[in-house]
Amino acid sequence: MSRFKARIGLRTRLVLAFMLVAAVGSGTTAVLVYREARNAILEQAQDTAVSSFREQVRNMGTPLPVRREFLQERLRDLARLGKPHPWVVFAEYGTVRVSSGTRPESTVITPELRRAALANARGGFQRVVKGSEPYLTIAVPTVFRAGKTVRPTGLVLYAVVPLTDEEANVRAMLTAARDGALPGLAVALVPALLSARSVLRPVRDLRRAARNMGSGRLDTRIQVKGTDELADLARTFNESAVELERTVGELREAEVRARRFASDVSHELRTPLAGMLAVTEVLDEDAARLAPDTAAAVRLISAETGKLAVLVEDLMEISRFDARAAELHTDEVDVAHTIRRTLTSRHWHDPVLVDTDLPEGIRARVDPRRFDIVVANLVGNALRHGNAPVLVRLRARADGDGEPGAPRAKTATDTNDAARLVVEVADSGPGIPVDALPHVFERFYKADAARSRSAGSGLGLAITLENVRLHGGTVRAANGPQGGAVFTVEIPLTGKETTA
């Protein structure tokens, strides 16, 4: 039921609401008209019959004592004069019961009407339903007039008037009202559709404008028509769009300035750092001949200068990605041999530190330099923040053969290549906090906020993510089932030249 409601559009709801109001209005009007017309028809027949019967009874002479044959003849005369329909007239005098018909007594006349006839000289009348048929019953007592004195004679005349024709007219009127309501609702559908269209046009414009802004067209505006609430909404949207465009423009300019500043600073620091590195190398060679305190200071300066050089190189690399100037130069390589060369060049060939599972025969088209950076950053990060041994595992799989349910933290854009290269780097440490998993590839992110400095530049995983994206692959961080952090890189086995 909830899905059905969700599929009903605003246009349909507006039309249904309009039709519901029209139906309720038509129904209410029909009920009121029916009730008034029914009362008018029945009251007209009732007034005619009551006044006519009273007049006929008043003009009828009734000699006393009452003789049955004479009274029956007079009742038949009264019945023939009935208005608006012939009557059936009954007379009651003591125990005498006479009628103009074949039955001396009527089952329609109620005790209430008999009591009213005896209590009131003008008699009374009552509408009753007997066997689903409506009747009007009238009671008029006959009186004896002597001058101004009026005395009841004890003879009461009753007229029973069937209201079948009037009831048939009322039913016909009800049928006509019901049959006329359907065309009325059909006619009401036209203004309902027109009203829904006029209401939905600005809503559609707003939806289109919001979609355009979501796609980056911040100069989108809505044409304002009228002075109603929808026009106010359009004006508010335009004002918000102007403010958003201004704010986003300022943010973009600030971002461009920040990137240019980082790039410029990195370039400016590169030359003096090269000289500082050369000096520290000379000092390192002579540190053994210096005093202990001086040697320690020299080695500290040398180490910090090396870290600063790494940070500058990483900043320059990130600035190239930001400027979309990073290029991918692929070559077909033996992946296992490439990973071993990366580990050996950084002196990570000791199995106590780094263990490997590198099957032979897996070849892929990658950028050797960038793939070397990816592996080195992941292994270096595992050694710094996890515990040894670190396991580097290589495998190839067909697309769709991944491990279902594997936790994902941050991924890059995937490709549709059928075969993929998978490299996993797992450490033996405590793993990554769950709340830090979505942020591990962010620049300068620290899972431990209390740690003021990192052993690395803080950009290694961010550069890894950009290099994997440049290859058209994905990289994700998760925690292994036995503990420890696991970084998984997936790259298409067949690459192509790409510019970031």
Side-chain angles (χ1 to χ4, degrees), residues 113-128:
L113 183 61
R114 287 189 172 95
R115 287 193 294 269
L118 295 176
N120 189 350
R122 289 181 55 83
F125 58 88
Q126 189 179 32
R127 286 203 300 261
V128 297

Side-chain angles (χ1 to χ4, degrees), residues 344-365:
T344 301
S345 64
R346 289 164 176 82
H347 308 288
W348 292 334
H349 45 73
D350 187 351
V352 176
L353 290 178
V354 180
D355 195 8
T356 60
D357 179 9
L358 307 175
E360 300 293 339
I362 299 179
R363 302 186 66 82
R365 290 195 66 85

Side-chain angles (χ1 to χ4, degrees), residues 203-358:
V203 175
R204 286 195 298 268
D205 293 342
L206 181 62
R207 181 184 61 185
R208 189 181 305 111
R211 185 182 295 116
N212 290 339
M213 292 193 67
S215 62
R217 296 172 55 186
L218 300 182
D219 58 343
T220 302
R221 301 293 183 269
I222 301 177
Q223 184 178 2
V224 180
K225 297 180 181 179
T227 58
D228 56 8
E229 290 80 358
L230 292 174
D232 292 339
L233 178 61
R235 278 191 215 88
T236 303
F237 178 87
N238 290 340
E239 293 170 359
S240 302
V242 170
E243 184 65 20
L244 179 62
E245 185 179 16
R246 183 186 64 79
T247 303
V248 171
E250 292 177 354
L251 290 175
R252 287 174 176 172
E253 292 177 359
E255 183 180 8
V256 170
R257 288 195 299 270
R259 289 176 177 175
R260 186 182 301 115
F261 174 79
S263 177
D264 292 345
V265 169
S266 300
H267 280 85
E268 292 298 326
L269 290 176
R270 196 173 189 181
T271 300
L273 274 175
M276 293 173 63
L277 286 172
V279 172
T280 55
E281 288 178 2
V282 174
L283 292 176
D284 280 340
E285 294 176 357
D286 296 335
R289 296 191 295 272
L290 299 176
D293 293 341
T294 304
V298 167
R299 292 190 180 94
L300 177 62
I301 292 174
S302 177
E304 293 300 323
T305 303
K307 292 180 182 179
L308 182 59
V310 172
L311 175 60
V312 169
E313 290 296 330
D314 288 347
L315 283 173
M316 293 185 64
E317 186 73 7
I318 281 291
S319 66
R320 281 191 287 269
F321 282 113
D322 291 340
R324 286 173 169 67
E327 296 182 351
L328 190 69
H329 303 288
T330 61
D331 190 12
E332 184 173 335
V333 299
D334 184 313
V335 181
H337 175 71
T338 302
I339 294 176
R340 290 193 192 95
R341 185 172 57 191
T342 298
L343 299 178
T344 301
S345 64
R346 289 164 176 82
H347 308 288
W348 292 334
H349 45 73
D350 187 351
V352 176
L353 290 178
V354 180
D355 195 8
T356 60
D357 179 9
L358 307 175

Side-chain angles (χ1 to χ4, degrees), residues 155-195:
L155 175 64
V156 181
L157 300 183
Y158 299 92
V160 178
V161 184
L163 299 177
T164 307
D165 293 344
E166 285 76 10
E167 192 67 24
N169 291 336
V170 171
R171 289 198 184 98
M173 187 167 22
L174 178 61
T175 302
R178 182 191 62 198
D179 295 342
L182 295 178
L185 290 177
V187 172
L189 182 61
V190 176
L193 291 173
L194 294 177
S195 300

Side-chain angles (χ1 to χ4, degrees), residues 72 76 88 90 99-105:
Q72 187 174 32
R76 288 173 179 170
V88 179
F90 298 86
S99 75
S100 63
T102 58
R103 300 176 60 183
E105 289 190 81

